[in-house]
Structures are given as structure tokens and as C-alpha cells.
Amino acid sequence: MKKYMKLLLTMLLTIGMLTGCAKSEFKGGTFTGEEKGFSSTIKVEVTISDDKTIESINVLESAESADIGEVALPIMIEKVVAQNSVEVDAVSTATITSDAFLVAVTKAIEAAGLKVTDLKAKEAGTVEKKAETLEADVVIIGAGGAGMTAAITAANEGKSVIIIEKAPIVGGNTSRATGGMNAAATKYQEEAGIEDSVELFVEDTMKGGYDKNNKELVQTLAEQSASAIDFLDSIGAHLSDVGKAGGASTNRSHRPVDEAGKILSVGSYLVPIFEQAAKDNNVTFYMETEATEILMNEGTAVGVKASSADTDYTINAKAVILATGGFGGNLEMVESYKPELKGYVTTNASTITGDGIKMAEAVGANLVDMAEIQIHPTVVQSNGALITESLRGDGAILVNNEGNRFTNEVLTRDVVSANIIAEEGSAAWLIVDQKMFDDSNVIQGYVNKGYMLKGDTVADLAKVMEVDEAALQATLDNWVAMVKAGEDKDFGRDDLATVKYDLSTAPYYAVKIAPGVHHTMGGVEINTNTEVMNASGEVIPGLYAAGEVTGGVHGGNRLGGNAVADIIVFGRIAGQNAATYTTK
């Protein structure tokens, strides 16, 4: 009996110990996790309470793009903490950064000894949408470069301006512009001794667009490009460096530089300046607010209907400006107009889906050139990142998978793209050297993001590219010699006497690229006053449009550097004319 009782007590003690272990509580604390983002490692510190609730998230390390990724991170923190879950939507214009942040948070949760399913997601309360009516002189749909330029211009005329934007951050495709802005007969060209003219700008643009362009719009673009550079100077945006883009007869691509003289990406430079200038002029932004309809009264645009998560807006206005961008982020729509582009990656922001075009068409706007869709030759296929054309203008070369040059690098985008597609694997490599790297924050960004491979010597570069060393060495030696002689004997490139770099300085950097959907040249028809036209060729009163939402400016192919010129020149015209219209 004693033996039995002893055994029973031992068993009960063991069960008690096991039960005690099973009932052990989670001990909260602060835990870290990290993941590679768009251009940097994102490291987070997550504080979790004893009841498995995320109390706070701090970003310990991050160097994402200032105008996109870094803006998205606080939004993502708010979402995760509010829901106590990583099952939240990414910021639509910063999906790579958002996804990396969520992985980093997940790793921190796992470092705490938990699974993400251990966190009890907070139930989202039922949101009863309220209705609100707003009044403004001018309402603008889209907070990209064209929209903000128009807003600044109209506000400078003393008009009340509202911008509505469906994304949580401003910028749109403008944030992704990496090259420069074309402008002719500018003070910066004069200072650099560069000869250019409005007539040559028009000629290059018409030729680049295969004469499918609306020449009156092209004339306006060229004539007002220099004053657009002056406008940028007036708001603190200085595009003082002048390089060359494909299809241009001379150097007219105006680019920003930092204090050390290094070239910057034009979009990420301009967007914060536009946003601040708009706010300084009392422009009101409604973010994460999607326009759904242009309000009409007897054939005249009189406002916009829009919706956010908790409010349905009716915005009454005396003038409406469409600045929603094109439809390059809507690959189904791209394919519907150009089936041969099925399966291509896109360089566009995910919010660039043709909304403005559809809303304008619904009120009778005429559409032009909708099948004219441009592919850009140098796109990183894994994420749609654009490698700027300006590098080729400065002296970067393209080589195939055998290590040989195969094209004139500064032909128009469609021609260079076709030449890349014709190569084995329909891909190529773009090569720069250390001197280009040292002079360009853009290139340094590409390297930091992991796009570019490095080789301390040509042999090392050939190894990481997996191309023939002798062929690559011969290609680079030949390029150096041709730049020195000022003549391209292989492909007739006519700017070798003026290119900035001969690729003679090791180490070397290379990025593998292929074409991707980049720009939609078609859209809403406008006249030179940016007034939207109907199918009968008549103006739709009160309705204006600027930027990639419009068609006619670029014809069958857009020249590099003309998109930024387009949004600023026609953004200013739209803002000015909308302001004038409101006083009638």
C-alpha cells in the first residue's frame, strides 16, 4: 500500500509539474527583426505586452527612398499597431518597402517565441460613412507632379485649391522619374555653352514620336520649357546640370545635383519641393481619397465625387483639373490596347490605373493615341525598377550576354528596346565605371539596392556577369578608344566627342536589364490651353487635364526627359487657365 501511495504521489507531482509548465504565461518585452527593403535593410524594434499585444514599433535602421519608402513606414506602423496584426494592406505606392517591413515585424514576433497567429487581431469596427460637401475654386484629381504644379499655380492666383489623391502619399509616377527634364534655350544651357533652340526641341520631339504628335502641343511644350525651369527655380528646385537623353540632338536634359555636385534622381528631388510649395500656398490635400465621378451641370464640369474610408465627398468647384497619370500600372488595360505587351513588367506605380481617363470618357471626353504605349529598354525585371536613360547619355554602354555592344545606346527608347529583345534571352547588361559611380548618387543608389554587380577588374566583372572575359575586355578597350577619337565606328553614335565618361576607370558596375512597360502616350484629348475636348472637337467647359492622363504630346514614342517637361509645362497652363476660368 505504501509503495502504491508513493507511486501515486510521484505521478501527481509529475502531472502538476507538467500542468504548471503548460500554464506558463508569455512574458512581454522588446524584440527586433530585419529584412531587405527596396534600397536598404529595414530593422525594427517591436514592443509586445504580456497579453500578446503589439504596443509600439520603432524603425531602428532604414534608408528607403525619402519620398516613398520613408513616408510609407509610419503608415505601416500605424496599421500594424491598430490591428495588432501583420495581416494588413501594403502602402500601394511602396509595396516593396511595406512588404519588407511586415517581414521584419514578423521576425521580431518570432524572436519573442510567438507565431503571428498567437496575436489576437483587433476586430475592425463597422465604419458608418458620413457624407461631406466641400467647396473650392479648383479641385484637382491627382497629387503627382502635374497636379501639384497646377495647384501651386492656381493658388498663386489667389484661388482656393483642393487636391484629392487615392494613395496615402503624394508623387505618383513623378516620384519614379530618375532622369531629367528637357528644356530648350535655358539659362543653364547658356552657362554651359550648349546651343539649343525651341525649333530643334520641336523637331526632335516630332521625329521621336514619328510625327504622330499633336504639333501644336509640342510647340507649346518647347516654347514654355525654359520658363518652366525658371518656375522650378522660384520654388527652390534647381535643375542646373544638363545632360543628354535618347533622341535629343543636344544636351537639354536638366537634372538636380547635391551640394557635392553629384547627380540626383529628378523625381524624388522634385516631389517634396512640390508638396511643400503647395502647402505653403494653402492647398488642401485629401489623401487616401479616390475620385469616382466628375460632376457635370448642363455640359459643364462643376466638381467631383470622391470617397475615403469613412467619408463620401461631394466637392463643388468652379473648375476641375485631371492629373491622374496614365494607365501603365493597369496591365490588363495595357494589354487591351496592345496585346503584344502581355507578360511585361511595369515601371509604373500601382495606383496609375487609368481612373482619370475612364472618368473623363464618361463625361464625353475624346481619347487619342490609346494604343501608343512605350516600353523602356532598361528595367530591372525582378521589381520593375527603372535604370535611367541619362546614364547612357553620359557614356554607359549596353552589352549582350556574349559581352559585346550591339546597339547605339542613345537611339529612341522603342528602337533600343527592340534591339535588346532581339538579343539572346531578350536581355542585356548596362555597364558604368568608378568615375560615373563617384559622380552620381543615382548610380550609388542602384548599387546599394543590389541592382548592380561590381567587378574590381574587367575579368572580375565578366565573371559575375557570366560573359566571355576576352570579349568584354575588347568591348571596353574599343569603347575607350572610340570615345578618345570621338567616333563610334561600330554603331554610329554621334555624341562620342561630348560624352562625359569613357569607362576607363576600374572598378566596374553592371546591371542586367530588359524592357518594361513605362509610359502611355495616349489619353484625354486637350488643346494648348489644357481644356479637355469632346468627340466633336468642342471644349468641355470647366474641365482641364495635364500630364500623362492626356494624349497627343508624345505621339508614337516619348523621348526621355519629355515627361517631366510635360507635367510642369502643362501643369502650369492648367493651373493658370483654371484660375482664370473661375473668375468668369
Side-chain angles (χ1 to χ4, degrees), residues 48-67:
I48 305 173
S49 65
D50 292 347
D51 65 353
K52 302 176 186 177
T53 298
I54 297 175
E55 293 186 341
S56 64
I57 302 173
N58 294 317
V59 177
L60 300 179
E61 294 178 17
S62 175
E64 298 293 91
S65 53
D67 60 324

Side-chain angles (χ1 to χ4, degrees), residues 8 14 37 87 113 185 242 252 264 276 280 287 307 416 424 449 469 520:
L8 181 60
T14 302
E87 296 296 322
V242 188
R252 69 168 66 97
L264 303 171
Q276 190 59 54
D280 288 346
M287 305 303 295
S307 182
V416 176
E424 181 182 354
K449 292 169 186 174
E469 176 188 334
T520 51

Side-chain angles (χ1 to χ4, degrees), residues 178-193:
T178 54
M181 170 186 163
N182 284 342
T186 69
K187 62 183 180 183
Y188 294 122
Q189 285 177 312
E190 184 179 355
E191 290 170 3

Side-chain angles (χ1 to χ4, degrees), residues 327-364:
F327 58 96
N330 184 342
L331 292 176
E332 289 184 1
M333 191 171 175
V334 167
E335 186 185 341
S336 73
Y337 284 106
K338 205 161 189 175
E340 59 266 39
L341 295 181
K342 181 179 181 179
Y344 274 65
V345 301
T346 181
T347 66
N348 287 248
S350 60
T351 52
I352 308 302
T353 53
D355 303 347
I357 293 172
K358 295 172 185 176
M359 282 187 285
E361 189 177 24
V363 298

Side-chain angles (χ1 to χ4, degrees), residues 138 140 142-157 161 163 170-171 174 181 224 227-229 231-232 234-235 237 270-271 273-279 281 283 285 321 323 530 546-547 563-579:
V138 180
I140 299 172
M148 289 192 287
T149 297
I152 295 163
T153 304
N156 278 336
E157 295 297 314
V161 180
I163 294 182
V170 303
T174 304
M181 170 186 163
Q224 299 200 27
S227 63
I229 292 289
F231 161 77
L232 292 178
S234 74
I235 63 171
L270 288 176
V271 165
I273 297 174
F274 284 151
E275 183 179 17
Q276 190 59 54
K279 289 178 177 178
N281 281 279
V283 173
F285 288 80
I321 300 176
T530 69
V564 179
D566 181 5
I567 62 175
I568 296 171
V569 167
F570 290 105
R572 293 180 71 210
I573 294 172
Q576 181 63 60
N577 287 334

Side-chain angles (χ1 to χ4, degrees), residues 10-25:
T10 302
M11 290 174 63
L12 289 171
L13 180 61
T14 302
I15 292 170
M17 291 175 65
L18 291 172
T19 304
C21 290
K23 290 183 177 178
S24 62
E25 297 291 334

